[in-house]
Amino acid sequence: MNLLTRYFWIAVCVCGALTGCSSSPYESKEWASDPKLRQGEVDKLTAKAGQHSADNRDPMEDAVLLRSDSVSPLEAASVTAELQAIAEELSNDWHGEPCHCQVRLGPRYSFGGFTYPHGTIVVQAGTLEYLDTRDEVAALLAHELSHLWLAHHEKNELQTTAKGVADLAQAISIFSHDDKARETTLRIGGSTDALVAAAGFTQWNREQETEADLLAAKVLEASRYSPMSMIALLTKLNKGKDDVPIAGSAYEEMASVAANKLKNEETEVSDSQIQKWISSVASDMSGREYLSSEDRRQIVRMVIYDLEGATLARSFSDMQINVDELKPVTSLKMLNQYELTSPSYAALVDQALAYEPDNLHLQLVKFRAVMARKDWQQATQMARGFIQRPDATFSALSEATRFLDQHQEITDSERKSLVYEAVLKLAKLDLPDAYVADQYYLSERYEVPLHDMLNQKLCEAGTGKVTVRERCELARQALESQHSFYQTLAEAGL
């Protein structure tokens, strides 16, 4: 058996093994009607999460993966500290030990959070505009912590291994000069940047998200926070705050019960009242994209199944987070009302930067507006600053090199020196598939020795995804004609 065939069958076996494990009890018809099945699966989740150990976890190892303008942190120190305190409280209530995690605020005004493998949790700033109670913040953090405690990153690494084997077979064929082998492995489905490490941020599959939701409800139940806040959180996902039906709904009734409990006044919560809440909440929920309406109802049933009314309505406290600190970012939601070149656009961005002058995300927003106004002198100054920053992100470095490659505002020697520095920094980051063409062009044009020669050879081989092959071909043409690659891309509409 030759080497290529051997790797092919390894890939088939690994993929087959993974596929065989894909059935989920949460998708079965019995899930909604069989309480023993539900309790059994939740017991498995809690047992697995209970075995988790955070020893040797160091969130600082996520630093390189976090160097993206989508997660470069805000300076809202009091907000970050409050989020960290909630995460630590949840971990202590569940595990009896600190979470060994780091909570950061991302600079987006979208709704959501995500987790990196070594314990960094990112909550986008816009999320806190949509949450009304501290319990809902706790629900989001409990969900993200659940991904860590259920070792979902490890499971996804196994799935990535199957893809990596196919990538390895592709790489072997590319460098074997065997046309038949090359054709065979491209049909296997390897990616363009074979053997390149997968991104740190993982897109969870549907089963993993459901598991994290269910475990989060149990974590909240073990804490002073209300497990019903998971339902409120699920409802608000993909909906604007103004669209969430709070007043006159089940949430208002539950809040009223909570207020009475806090005043030590006895409040009777009947089974029929709980069923009414279920019906109201289920009908309100628009839910996540990966959940059908029935899935959401099943989660609602599981969250409140056999829980006492006092547990359901335990806290529902105020958020106690100073959302005003996030205004430099969340105020940018108005940007789409103005043209990039308009004074109003510039004024809004400058107002945000006045609060956080060093925030890379905000600087990139300004940089794009400066280029749209064709203020090449200011754009050059900003590009120089991006490259020289020790925390330069992929977006900042790629934008800066793209600009410098097209414009002649500085001397050739300074441009070569800046691009050289930028490419060396880019080589240390996790890069998109298509950027292999950019690396190939920049390293050749500006005489930068790439650490990863495999990407360059893949580009020269002309294999992989169609878009990447097109970019690589344009990179070759730009090098041959000594023309700017990025001008060539613009002319080609790419």
Side-chain angles (χ1 to χ4, degrees):
M1 182 183 294
N2 63 35
L3 186 61
L4 176 60
T5 305
R6 183 181 307 164
Y7 280 117
F8 170 76
W9 285 113
I10 291 174
V12 170
C13 292
V14 175
C15 291
L18 291 170
T19 303
C21 298
S22 63
S23 59
S24 169
Y26 318 122
E27 299 174 12
S28 66
K29 293 181 179 179
E30 293 78 13
W31 176 257
S33 58
D34 188 344
K36 290 184 178 180
L37 171 66
R38 294 200 301 272
Q39 192 58 51
E41 292 299 326
V42 172
D43 288 344
K44 290 178 186 177
L45 289 177
T46 55
K48 183 176 181 180
Q51 296 167 1
H52 169 79
S53 173
D55 292 345
N56 302 319
R57 181 197 290 159
D58 182 7
M60 294 306 296
E61 293 185 29
D62 293 321
V64 172
L65 299 172
L66 283 162
R67 288 169 70 183
S68 157
D69 70 306
S70 63
V71 291
S72 56
L74 297 174
E75 297 174 5
S78 67
V79 178
T80 304
E82 194 69 25
L83 295 176
Q84 185 73 40
I86 295 173
E88 297 289 354
E89 182 183 359
L90 291 170
S91 181
N92 278 310
D93 288 341
W94 182 256
H95 278 298
E97 62 180 29
C99 69
H100 299 279
C101 64
Q102 175 179 254
V103 184
R104 301 167 67 112
L105 263 178
R108 298 288 186 185
Y109 35 83
S110 56
F111 189 110
F114 47 91
T115 307
Y116 282 86
H118 296 290
T120 299
I121 297 171
V122 177
V123 177
Q124 297 293 15
T127 304
L128 299 181
E129 281 200 325
Y130 290 87
L131 303 182
D132 293 294
T133 69
R134 190 181 179 87
D135 294 64
E136 292 170 16
V137 178
L140 177 61
L141 291 172
H143 174 94
E144 297 304 333
L145 285 168
S146 294
H147 283 305
L148 292 172
W149 294 339
L150 293 171
H152 283 163
H153 286 97
E154 295 175 14
K155 180 177 180 181
N156 281 17
E157 284 175 9
L158 178 62
Q159 293 170 333
T160 302
T161 299
K163 174 181 174 293
V165 172
D167 287 344
L168 178 58
Q170 178 188 351
I172 292 169
S173 72
I174 289 172
F175 304 123
S176 68
H177 303 293
D178 183 335
D179 291 337
K180 185 174 182 180
R182 182 181 295 111
E183 181 182 350
T184 300
T185 51
L186 288 176
R187 284 202 301 267
I188 293 176
S191 72
T192 303
D193 55 348
L195 303 181
V196 176
F201 168 48
T202 305
Q203 294 283 357
W204 308 118
N205 62 39
R206 175 176 174 177
E207 181 176 350
Q208 289 172 326
E209 290 287 10
T210 302
E211 288 178 348
D213 286 334
L214 296 181
L215 178 60
K218 303 303 289 184
V219 171
L220 293 167
E221 185 183 354
S223 73
R224 66 187 177 96
Y225 300 107
S226 172
M228 286 300 289
S229 58
M230 273 304 302
I231 300 176
L233 181 67
L234 284 168
T235 304
K236 291 180 179 181
L237 282 162
N238 294 334
K239 296 186 77 171
K241 182 176 181 181
D242 295 337
D243 296 327
V244 178
I246 299 294
S249 72
Y251 302 116
E252 188 178 61
E253 294 178 30
M254 287 185 283
S256 176
V257 172
N260 289 332
K261 290 292 180 184
L262 291 173
K263 296 175 184 176
N264 295 320
E265 297 179 6
E266 289 301 321
T267 301
E268 185 68 26
V269 181
S270 65
D271 289 343
S272 62
Q273 180 62 58
I274 292 176
Q275 292 300 321
K276 178 182 176 183
W277 286 349
I278 296 173
S279 176
S280 176
V281 171
S283 65
D284 284 347
M285 295 175 74
S286 67
R288 297 179 169 181
E289 293 178 355
Y290 61 83
L291 292 176
S292 68
S293 58
E294 182 57 29
D295 289 323
R296 294 194 296 275
R297 284 166 173 75
Q298 289 168 0
I299 287 179
V300 171
R301 294 187 187 105
M302 186 61 248
V303 170
I304 69 165
Y305 185 73
D306 280 344
L307 293 177
E308 297 178 358
T311 302
L312 292 178
R314 182 166 45 237
S315 93
F316 275 82
S317 58
D318 292 334
M319 186 153 58
Q320 300 176 354
I321 288 178
N322 183 11
V323 182
D324 288 341
E325 290 194 32
L326 307 179
K327 283 186 177 178
V329 171
T330 55
S331 63
L332 294 180
K333 286 187 292 186
M334 298 169 57
L335 275 179
N336 59 8
Q337 300 176 14
Y338 308 113
E339 295 292 332
L340 262 174
T341 55
S342 71
S344 297
Y345 189 103
L348 197 57
V349 176
D350 286 339
Q351 180 182 353
L353 278 167
Y355 287 92
E356 296 204 5
D358 294 328
N359 186 277
L360 260 176
H361 173 66
L362 300 179
Q363 288 185 3
L364 278 167
V365 173
K366 180 172 183 174
F367 183 64
R368 289 155 189 161
V370 167
M371 289 194 296
R373 296 198 304 267
K374 298 183 179 181
D375 185 346
W376 305 136
Q377 185 175 358
Q378 186 176 8
T380 300
Q381 183 179 353
M382 294 188 72
R384 185 187 291 114
F386 287 154
I387 294 172
Q388 293 173 345
R389 284 185 63 140
D391 60 344
T393 66
F394 165 71
S395 294
L397 292 170
S398 60
E399 293 267 10
T401 51
R402 175 187 290 266
F403 170 77
L404 292 173
D405 186 61
Q406 296 181 77
H407 298 277
Q408 311 294 322
E409 303 302 313
I410 56 177
T411 64
D412 289 343
S413 61
E414 184 183 5
R415 181 168 60 254
K416 181 177 180 180
S417 175
L418 286 171
V419 175
Y420 187 100
E421 182 181 355
V423 173
L424 289 181
K425 288 185 176 181
L426 282 163
K428 298 177 182 178
L429 302 180
D430 183 50
L431 303 174
D433 283 3
Y435 205 75
V436 62
D438 301 61
Q439 278 193 301
Y440 168 62
Y441 166 79
L442 292 170
S443 62
E444 291 288 326
R445 177 73 180 270
Y446 297 97
E447 301 176 0
V448 186
L450 275 183
H451 297 296
D452 183 3
M453 299 304 294
L454 181 57
N455 275 351
Q456 182 176 344
K457 289 186 178 181
L458 286 169
C459 202
E460 291 172 343
T463 58
K465 299 174 184 175
V466 174
T467 54
V468 179
R469 290 201 300 271
E470 290 176 351
R471 287 176 68 90
C472 283
E473 178 57 33
L474 291 174
R476 279 192 292 270
Q477 292 176 14
L479 287 169
E480 289 173 1
S481 63
Q482 297 187 338
H483 186 62
S484 167
F485 171 52
Y486 296 104
Q487 286 183 6
T488 303
L489 284 177
E491 292 165 3
L494 295 176

